[in-house]
Amino acid sequence: MMDGVFAQHSRERDHQKLWEHLDELGLVRLTGPESSGGSGAGWPEAAALLAAAVRHGVRVPLAEHDLLACWLLDAAGLSVDDARRTVGVVGADGAARAVPWASQAQRVVLVTRRADGYSIADRDVEDVAITRGANMIGEPRDTVAVDDDAGGTTVSAVLIEQLRLKSALVRGIQVCAALDSALDSAIKHTTSREQFGRPLAKFQAVQHLIADMAAEAALARTATEAALLAAVEADWSAPQLGFLVAVARSCAGHAASVVVRNAHQVHGAIGTTEEHRLHEYTRAALAWRSEFGTVGEFDEQLTRAAVAAGPGALWQTICP
């Protein structure tokens, strides 16, 4: 069903029409509790929904609205209405930067660090100053400035850490879906196009490129699925979850380099055109791998964990 919905709206400019359609189907708040208007599904279903959106090149804030902003309000015991939301973390200067989809949202859930912890406030976009920005695929990544301190609801540091992990894993899921889509496109292209009287896929050099893409995409997907499984089973409180999410994001980030390079190499010149859909996956993977944490930051986190564990406990850290 999800693929059919996205196929119908693929490449459409009217994102509001798609959003309304998804809302009618109960997909906008897929994981929200039924008592507050959600569909009561879980993260595995949400991951499938995000992957379907990536496959069809559809850009809407499903994850930011459902899995992050609305979840945070629910967890804090705050009411949630039908307004389209996103979430941002306010810095010391009173601004939240690179907030996804803020300029197309109706409300922004802002997280602010206080001397005694954290607070969240569900703000109408009319009450904040938004400076438009975008990532490399044109998705809004805006700066949200708050002129007044509206207080907000106090929340625990544990809840904010869960928000950080969920945000990071969302992008990991999307990167993996983009890499799988690029791989699928490369396989279809090399098996259907001929050179010197035989399909491109028959050339050993091309086979090596495809094999490297498949291996890297599979590694990224496996690491991401392992982190998601651990998160779901422990309700986002597994002791090693931060490590697993860092592994997933590191694997996905490094895989993106190989998959993007090889995909464009096997597609040749046609893969660089705007008309070909390859760029919808490759540019997206490169953009998303640096959001909610960069590859370098996750690599550094894993390095610190390995050094802290020492040679005697390194294996147990990797395979708890």
Side-chain angles (χ1 to χ4, degrees):
M1 180 188 73
M2 291 182 291
D3 276 297
V5 172
F6 289 127
Q8 178 182 343
H9 292 273
S10 182
R11 295 194 173 193
E12 279 192 9
R13 298 297 182 184
D14 189 357
H15 291 167
Q16 180 60 32
K17 182 179 178 181
L18 171 59
W19 188 263
E20 292 172 357
H21 192 178
L22 293 171
D23 194 12
E24 292 171 359
L25 294 172
L27 299 177
V28 163
R29 290 214 59 211
L30 182 63
T31 66
E34 295 182 23
S35 58
S36 63
S39 296
W43 267 76
E45 293 83 2
L49 177 64
L50 292 179
V54 172
R55 284 195 298 272
H56 292 283
V58 171
R59 314 283 187 222
V60 287
L62 287 168
E64 292 81 359
H65 174 78
D66 178 31
L67 299 176
L68 304 181
C70 291
W71 161 78
L72 187 56
L73 292 177
D74 280 330
L78 300 176
S79 61
V80 182
D81 57 21
D82 293 333
R84 186 164 58 250
R85 287 175 168 84
T86 187
V87 64
V89 178
V90 178
D93 60 350
R97 290 179 167 76
V99 179
W101 302 97
S103 57
Q104 294 187 19
Q106 296 165 305
R107 301 189 70 85
V108 182
V109 179
L110 294 173
V111 179
T112 303
R113 185 163 190 169
R114 308 290 184 186
D116 57 347
Y118 294 88
S119 69
I120 64 170
D122 186 20
R123 304 291 297 270
D124 191 290
V125 293
E126 299 297 330
D127 298 330
V128 298
I130 297 179
T131 303
R132 290 176 178 264
N135 62 11
M136 67 185 296
I137 53 175
E139 292 177 326
R141 296 294 184 265
D142 309 307
T143 298
V144 179
V146 182
D147 295 330
D148 61 309
D149 189 344
T153 301
T154 300
V155 295
S156 68
V158 172
L159 196 64
I160 300 306
E161 174 61 11
Q162 288 183 351
L163 173 65
R164 184 187 72 83
L165 295 176
K166 289 186 175 191
S167 301
L169 198 52
V170 157
R171 289 295 183 262
I173 291 169
Q174 291 175 307
V175 169
C176 288
L179 299 184
D180 284 340
S181 298
L183 172 62
D184 183 62
S185 178
I187 292 173
K188 290 178 179 177
H189 178 78
T190 56
T191 54
S192 62
R193 296 294 292 270
E194 292 189 357
Q195 186 72 33
F196 304 115
R198 56 177 176 162
L200 292 174
K202 295 296 184 180
F203 291 89
Q204 190 174 56
V206 174
Q207 293 172 355
H208 287 168
L209 292 172
I210 297 292
D212 286 344
M213 291 175 64
E216 291 290 339
L219 175 62
R221 189 186 329 108
T222 301
T224 301
E225 290 175 351
L228 180 57
L229 179 61
V232 171
E233 288 184 341
D235 194 22
W236 295 89
S237 60
Q240 285 288 87
L241 185 56
F243 179 81
L244 294 175
V245 170
V247 169
R249 285 296 304 269
S250 176
C251 289
H254 289 290
S257 296
V258 176
V259 173
V260 169
R261 181 187 65 236
N262 290 12
H264 281 283
Q265 189 168 349
V266 301
H267 278 83
I270 194 174
T272 65
T273 63
E274 184 176 0
E275 290 77 12
H276 199 284
R277 300 198 66 176
L278 179 63
H279 70 91
E280 295 181 8
Y281 312 129
T282 55
R283 292 170 64 240
L286 295 178
W288 292 332
R289 72 172 179 176
S290 297
E291 296 183 352
F292 296 132
T294 67
V295 181
E297 289 169 347
F298 288 113
D299 285 351
E300 178 63 25
Q301 181 180 340
L302 296 177
T303 300
R304 291 197 303 268
V307 171
L314 183 57
W315 184 253
Q316 288 84 351
T317 301
I318 299 172
C319 300

